[in-house]
Short mmCIF file of all heavy atoms in Angstrom, two decimals:
data_model
loop_
_atom_site.label_atom_id
_atom_site.label_comp_id
_atom_site.label_asym_id
_atom_site.label_seq_id
_atom_site.Cartn_x
_atom_site.Cartn_y
_atom_site.Cartn_z
N VAL A 23 14.25 -9.79 18.02
CA VAL A 23 15.42 -8.88 18.23
C VAL A 23 16.57 -9.09 17.33
O VAL A 23 17.60 -8.45 17.38
CB VAL A 23 15.93 -8.81 19.75
CG1 VAL A 23 14.88 -8.31 20.66
CG2 VAL A 23 16.41 -10.20 20.13
N ASP A 42 9.73 -20.68 12.15
CA ASP A 42 8.30 -20.62 11.55
C ASP A 42 7.48 -19.66 12.40
O ASP A 42 6.69 -18.82 11.92
CB ASP A 42 7.57 -21.96 11.68
CG ASP A 42 7.90 -22.84 10.43
OD1 ASP A 42 8.39 -22.32 9.42
OD2 ASP A 42 7.48 -24.06 10.50
N TRP A 48 6.02 -11.94 11.63
CA TRP A 48 6.09 -11.08 10.54
C TRP A 48 4.73 -10.96 9.71
O TRP A 48 4.39 -9.90 9.25
CB TRP A 48 7.18 -11.34 9.67
CG TRP A 48 8.60 -10.98 10.20
CD1 TRP A 48 8.83 -10.01 11.18
CD2 TRP A 48 9.80 -11.56 9.79
NE1 TRP A 48 10.24 -9.99 11.48
CE2 TRP A 48 10.92 -10.97 10.66
CE3 TRP A 48 10.26 -12.54 9.02
CZ2 TRP A 48 12.15 -11.21 10.58
CZ3 TRP A 48 11.61 -12.87 8.87
CH2 TRP A 48 12.61 -12.26 9.69
N LEU A 73 -15.19 16.20 -1.18
CA LEU A 73 -14.85 17.43 -1.60
C LEU A 73 -15.08 17.71 -3.16
O LEU A 73 -15.76 18.70 -3.60
CB LEU A 73 -13.28 17.88 -1.30
CG LEU A 73 -13.13 17.98 0.20
CD1 LEU A 73 -11.49 18.04 0.40
CD2 LEU A 73 -13.75 19.19 0.81
N ASN A 76 -18.91 17.99 -3.66
CA ASN A 76 -19.38 19.44 -3.37
C ASN A 76 -19.01 20.47 -4.37
O ASN A 76 -19.69 21.34 -4.70
CB ASN A 76 -18.81 19.86 -2.04
CG ASN A 76 -19.56 19.08 -0.82
OD1 ASN A 76 -20.77 18.66 -0.97
ND2 ASN A 76 -18.91 18.76 0.25
N ILE A 78 -18.46 19.97 -7.59
CA ILE A 78 -19.37 19.68 -8.70
C ILE A 78 -20.66 20.24 -8.55
O ILE A 78 -21.26 20.94 -9.45
CB ILE A 78 -19.37 18.11 -9.18
CG1 ILE A 78 -17.93 17.69 -9.60
CG2 ILE A 78 -20.42 17.90 -10.12
CD1 ILE A 78 -17.94 16.26 -9.75
N ILE A 79 -21.26 20.08 -7.41
CA ILE A 79 -22.56 20.54 -7.06
C ILE A 79 -22.67 22.15 -7.19
O ILE A 79 -23.57 22.82 -7.68
CB ILE A 79 -23.22 20.09 -5.74
CG1 ILE A 79 -23.45 18.52 -5.92
CG2 ILE A 79 -24.35 20.77 -5.31
CD1 ILE A 79 -23.65 17.85 -4.66
N ALA A 86 -25.94 27.39 -13.28
CA ALA A 86 -27.32 27.54 -13.38
C ALA A 86 -27.70 29.05 -13.02
O ALA A 86 -28.57 29.71 -13.63
CB ALA A 86 -28.21 26.60 -12.63
N LEU A 90 -29.74 31.83 -15.19
CA LEU A 90 -30.98 32.25 -14.76
C LEU A 90 -30.98 33.68 -14.24
O LEU A 90 -32.06 34.21 -13.76
CB LEU A 90 -31.56 31.35 -13.83
CG LEU A 90 -31.91 29.86 -14.19
CD1 LEU A 90 -32.20 28.97 -12.99
CD2 LEU A 90 -32.84 29.81 -15.22
N ASN A 123 -6.41 20.35 -3.70
CA ASN A 123 -5.06 20.32 -4.12
C ASN A 123 -4.02 20.43 -3.06
O ASN A 123 -2.93 19.83 -3.17
CB ASN A 123 -4.90 21.47 -5.14
CG ASN A 123 -5.62 21.37 -6.50
OD1 ASN A 123 -5.99 20.16 -6.79
ND2 ASN A 123 -5.98 22.38 -7.14
N ALA A 128 -5.78 12.67 -3.56
CA ALA A 128 -5.49 11.64 -4.59
C ALA A 128 -4.15 11.02 -4.59
O ALA A 128 -3.98 9.79 -4.73
CB ALA A 128 -5.83 12.38 -5.86
N ALA A 137 1.20 0.81 -1.25
CA ALA A 137 1.71 0.24 -0.11
C ALA A 137 0.86 -1.08 0.30
O ALA A 137 1.54 -2.06 0.71
CB ALA A 137 1.74 1.10 1.02
N TRP A 141 2.51 -4.86 0.67
CA TRP A 141 2.26 -5.69 1.86
C TRP A 141 1.56 -7.05 1.54
O TRP A 141 1.98 -7.98 2.12
CB TRP A 141 1.44 -4.85 2.88
CG TRP A 141 2.37 -3.95 3.70
CD1 TRP A 141 2.28 -2.53 3.54
CD2 TRP A 141 3.40 -4.18 4.73
NE1 TRP A 141 3.22 -1.97 4.41
CE2 TRP A 141 3.96 -2.90 5.02
CE3 TRP A 141 3.91 -5.36 5.17
CZ2 TRP A 141 4.99 -2.86 6.00
CZ3 TRP A 141 4.96 -5.28 6.14
CH2 TRP A 141 5.44 -4.04 6.48
N ARG A 147 4.00 -14.15 0.07
CA ARG A 147 5.34 -14.86 0.08
C ARG A 147 5.49 -15.66 1.28
O ARG A 147 5.91 -16.77 1.28
CB ARG A 147 6.37 -13.83 -0.17
CG ARG A 147 7.82 -14.36 -0.07
CD ARG A 147 8.89 -13.34 -0.23
NE ARG A 147 10.19 -14.10 -0.29
CZ ARG A 147 11.31 -13.62 0.10
NH1 ARG A 147 11.33 -12.33 0.69
NH2 ARG A 147 12.39 -14.25 0.07
#
Side-chain angles (χ1 to χ4, degrees):
V23 294
D42 275 347
W48 285 337
L73 290 171
N76 286 331
I78 291 168
I79 291 169
L90 297 175
N123 291 334
W141 282 107
R147 180 177 182 213

